[in-house]
Every structure is written in structure tokens, then in C-alpha cells.
Amino acid sequence: MTSRSILVSGASIAGPTLAYWLARAGWEVAVVERTDALREEGQNIDVRGAAREVLRRMGLEDAALAATTGEQGTVFLDAQGRELARFTAGTDDTSGPTAELEILRGRLGALLHDATAGDVSYLFGDQIAGLGQDAGGVDVTFASGREQRFDLVVLAEGVNSRSRALVLPDARKQHLGMYVAYLTIPRRDDDTDEWRWFVVGGGRGVSLRPDDVGTIRASVNLMSDTRGLDELDRSGQVIVLRRAFADVEQAAPRVLAALEDGAPFYLEDLAQMRLPTWSAGRVAVVGDAAWCATPVSGIGTTLALSGAYTLAACLAGATDHHAGLAEYERRMRPFVGKAQSLPPGTPRVANPRSALGTKAFGAALRVIGSAPAQRLGGVLGGIGSPPADQYELPAWPTCR
Ligand SMILES: Cc1cc2nc3c(=O)[nH]c(=O)nc-3n(C[C@H](O)[C@H](O)[C@H](O)COP(=O)(O)OP(=O)(O)OC[C@H]3O[C@@H](n4cnc5c(N)ncnc54)[C@H](O)[C@@H]3O)c2cc1C
């Protein structure tokens, strides 16, 4: 397609990546982000395989490698803090529970934004309120009241995208029965540069990860059949977490103390997005808004980077948007399908409820810990399964 105008909604990972490539193809690109400024929050995310190659092609790989969290590997511990298994960090594009390119989400987002800011217009503090399309374009009404017509609109608004329902009402959320609360806590002298994952039983887990700004990124996992805990107000969520982790020693008390002290945190009810199609006419979705695989897959950011690049190449290389969007979906569906096919029992297996399950998982970790980390497959998530290097990126800009 020759030069076109496009509105991308969402300025995290998928949005700016798509914007970068379409601007490079000569398109006129606007990105709207509902928050007032670029979001800095987020914990350690990995970039693997094909997504590393996307950063490389953008000339951003070295900057990303220079901004990694410094995590040296992953250690699993039992409720008493005894080591169960240890894995060193990956040393290539794909391997290891701790990837070679492990970076704070906010840092990667800022790199992508900065690489595009000169060629793309960013509109912060606004969002799509209405979409109307005809054969020639999409009329967008923004919440601010502004109106503008674009040739195409792409939603990169994450798993809880609101605009998606305007065009793709059949999107379905598939809950995994697991909540994760994320927060940042002060680093202590006895903290290490490893990802420490405490397997504590009762369908719970506690993770402590280093970052490159002198704090610790903590998260607690809670398996639960009750939906809607994420909709409680802050004090309600803190009460739930305090009760759920009251008997957990080692890492939990400092996490609970930070919550009580008012540390900002985010409670997520993990859910995958299932959409029968990723576009309707001239409006498409990309990244978590299209196919969220959840952090348990360990591949969400890899999919977002690879998917945004693929969509851009397919649009730039196609004769019209119908062909481009169809080719994007044809290429990405199998990769996304594999990423969403979590191994049986995931994430229950890694957050065992019963004493027996906890013992069995600990024993399995000891065995697996003695073999190459890749043998873990996706059982624990974050291990690069499906192998992110098995997705073949299309050529730029022909999409061959
Ligand atoms: C603040 C934040 C923190 C995160 N922390 C982690 C983490 O710790 N670990 C992890 O594995 N993953 C985390 N993620 C998710 C991770 O970024 C994604 O799984 C993955 O990178 C795919 O990115 P995405 O760009 O598709 O979607 P997201 O990263 O979810 O980004 C969506 C963007 O769209 C914006 N947005 C949402 N609705 C609208 C709207 N209506 N109009 C305009 N803009 C909108 C959001 O503010 C956000 O900037 C986080 C995401 C965010 C936004």
C-alpha cells in the first residue's frame, strides 16, 4: 500500500512498534494514549527470539541490552527459603527462565517511544470514544470531542482494551484462575540479583526480582476460583492479600508491609484474549488487545513486538488493507496459538494448592534443575515456549 494515514491507539509496546515501521514506510501515523504521559510502570519483561530481531532491525537492540535489569538467573525456593533449583540467565536470543534481554517494561516502552517521537504524532490524555467506518476510511471521535478521519485504525490497548468492543464484540476472555499483584519494594542488603521464586503452597507464590534502579520488583500469585477481586477497591484488595499470605514466611511479610504502607500496586486477574478475527473492515487489533497470552506464557512482549512488525510489513507490502490484514492474521495465528496453548495444569502446577502438590512440584524442580533450563518447556512460564526463534518474521517491506 502506498502512504496512508493511520491512528494507533495505545503507546506501550505494540503501538509504538507498529508506528515506527509504518512511519518508516512513509505513512502518516498518530498514536493516541489515554494516560497523560508515557507510562513508566511495569516489571521485568523478556524479549526473545523474533522480537530480539525486530529490535535489531530498529537499531534498538544495543540500547535495550544496555538497559537490562541485571538479573543473573532464577532460583526456586521452598516456603522455608531452602533452594529447590537454580537456572542461570540465558546467553542468547531465546533461552533461560531469565532471558538475556530482561528489561523493565517502562524502559522498553520509553525506548520505543523515543525512537518514534520525531516521525509520529503522539496524543496523550485522550482516547477513542466512537468509530464509524465506510468504504473509504474511519471517522474517529475522541473523548476530547475532536474528530478526525483516518485510512486505518489499529487498537494496541492491551488486554482490557475498551475500543475493541466497538468493532469486535465477539472478543472473549479466558480466565486462568490466578491473580497476580505487582509492586515495587525497597531493596535490602540480603537481596540478590536473582529472580527468587518462593513456592509456598496453598495455590500461592511470591517472587522477588532485581531491577537496575536499586529496588526490588515483587509479585504475589494467588490461585482463586473467585472472579472480581481485581474490581475491589484498594483496601479490599489489601485485605484479601493480607489474609491469603498471613501464614507465609520468608518473602511475604515485607511484601505485605509495603502494601500496608500504601505502596502502589496492581492486581491482575490473568486472562487470555480469544478473538475469532483480528480486524473488522479498516480497524484491526494487535498485541495483548488481540491475543493476550498472559505473563504466564512468558512471551507477551515478544508477541507484541513480532506482531506489530508483522502487521506493519503486511500493510506496507500489500496492494490493499484487506490483503494486508488477512496476511497478518495468516502469519501470526499459528505463533499466537502455540503461545496460548499453555502446558496442561498451567498455572496450577507452579502454584500448587495441596501439601502433596507442593512436594511434587519441589521434587520436579530438583530434577529439572539438574537438566538444561530449556527442558522446563512452558511448565513454569517465561521459558520461551513456544520457542520464540521459530517464528519467521516477514521481509521488510514486501512481507514475503
Ligand atoms: C503499565 C503496564 C505495566 C505492565 N507490567 C507488566 C509486567 O510487570 N509484567 C508483564 O509481563 N507484563 C506487563 N504489562 C503487559 C505487557 O506490556 C504486555 O503483555 C505486552 O508487552 C504487550 O503489550 P501491548 O502494547 O500489546 O499492551 P500493554 O502493554 O497492555 O499496553 C496497552 C497500552 O494502551 C493504553 N490504553 C489502554 N486503553 C486505551 C484506550 N482506550 N485508549 C488509548 N490508550 C489505551 C495503555 O495505557 C497502555 O499504554 C504491563 C503493561 C502496562 C500498560
Side-chain angles (χ1 to χ4, degrees):
M1 288 173 77
T2 49
S3 177
R4 299 280 177 180
S5 68
I6 185 165
L7 175 69
V8 179
S9 182
S12 175
I13 306 299
T17 306
L18 176 67
Y20 171 92
W21 286 100
L22 287 179
R24 187 153 147 178
W27 289 40
E28 201 179 306
V29 187
V31 177
V32 61
E33 163 61 49
R34 82 182 151 88
T35 54
D36 289 337
L38 206 59
R39 302 180 68 165
E40 290 178 358
E41 319 99 275
Q43 302 205 337
N44 317 40
I45 50 169
D46 351 298
V47 179
R48 297 174 189 267
R52 275 282 287 271
E53 177 60 22
V54 172
L55 288 185
R56 211 170 279 144
R57 292 184 190 182
M58 294 169 82
L60 294 177
E61 188 187 29
D62 288 345
L65 281 170
T68 53
T69 57
E71 191 171 284
Q72 301 294 315
T74 305
V75 185
F76 289 89
L77 305 122
D78 68 11
Q80 285 72 45
R82 290 176 301 225
E83 185 173 318
L84 295 168
R86 175 178 292 266
F87 303 92
T88 52
T91 50
D92 56 24
D93 278 11
T94 304
S95 67
T98 294
E100 186 187 31
L101 209 171
E102 197 84 40
I103 184 169
L104 293 179
R105 191 213 63 88
R107 277 197 190 279
L108 181 60
L111 280 177
L112 295 167
H113 168 266
D114 294 353
T116 48
D119 304 314
V120 168
S121 28
Y122 278 89
L123 318 163
F124 286 98
D126 207 352
Q127 57 186 303
I128 295 169
L131 291 169
Q133 54 176 314
D134 53 38
V138 191
D139 293 310
V140 178
T141 308
F142 292 88
S144 61
R146 212 165 58 80
E147 293 179 355
Q148 198 172 340
R149 188 170 170 85
F150 298 89
D151 292 321
L152 289 175
V153 172
V154 175
L155 309 176
E157 298 177 357
V159 62
N160 294 317
S161 165
R162 286 187 210 155
S163 316
R164 185 177 52 209
L166 299 173
V167 281
L168 295 164
D170 294 336
R172 191 168 54 84
K173 259 189 178 177
Q174 191 164 307
H175 290 278
L176 299 189
M178 175 175 163
Y179 291 92
V180 184
Y182 303 95
L183 67 159
T184 303
I185 60 175
R187 188 174 170 122
R188 296 192 317 209
D189 289 345
D190 58 343
D191 283 323
T192 69
D193 282 333
E194 288 157 319
W195 175 5
R196 285 174 294 155
W197 179 331
F198 295 81
V199 182
V200 300
R204 302 162 300 178
V206 183
S207 262
L208 300 178
R209 305 184 73 169
D211 63 24
D212 52 334
V213 291
T215 50
I216 292 288
R217 306 289 162 146
S219 60
V220 294
N221 300 344
L222 178 63
M223 301 299 299
S224 171
D225 299 328
T226 307
R227 304 273 62 79
L229 300 182
D230 53 322
E231 287 160 25
L232 297 174
D233 62 13
R234 185 197 153 91
S235 60
Q237 292 180 1
V238 171
I239 289 169
V240 167
L241 294 171
R242 195 199 308 136
R243 287 194 182 148
F245 286 86
D247 64 320
V248 180
E249 294 167 358
Q250 295 296 323
R254 62 191 284 210
V255 175
L256 293 180
L259 287 175
E260 303 281 358
D261 280 356
F265 79 103
Y266 176 65
L267 184 68
E268 183 180 11
D269 184 2
L270 297 195
Q272 295 191 338
M273 284 313 305
R274 306 287 171 131
L275 274 71
T277 174
W278 292 335
S279 63
R282 292 175 171 271
V283 184
V285 282
V286 70
D288 276 7
W291 54 62
C292 178
T294 76
V296 168
S297 74
I299 202 167
T301 301
T302 292
L303 289 176
L305 285 161
S306 314
Y309 168 89
T310 300
L311 174 55
C314 291
L315 288 173
T319 46
D320 61 38
H321 69 276
H322 295 292
L325 293 174
E327 180 61 10
Y328 154 61
E329 197 151 336
R330 190 189 71 74
R331 285 178 175 269
M332 280 303 290
R333 279 270 175 198
F335 187 26
V336 166
K338 283 187 205 155
Q340 288 190 329
S341 304
L342 302 174
T346 307
R348 220 176 41 246
V349 173
N351 298 279
R353 288 190 198 223
S354 67
L356 195 64
T358 308
K359 231 177 172 173
F361 184 54
L365 278 172
R366 282 195 197 90
V367 173
I368 297 163
S370 61
Q374 288 83 346
R375 297 265 299 279
L376 271 161
V379 176
L380 304 169
I383 324 285
S385 178
D389 52 3
Q390 284 175 18
Y391 175 68
E392 198 179 326
L393 293 169
W396 178 261
T398 54
C399 198
R400 299 262 159 68

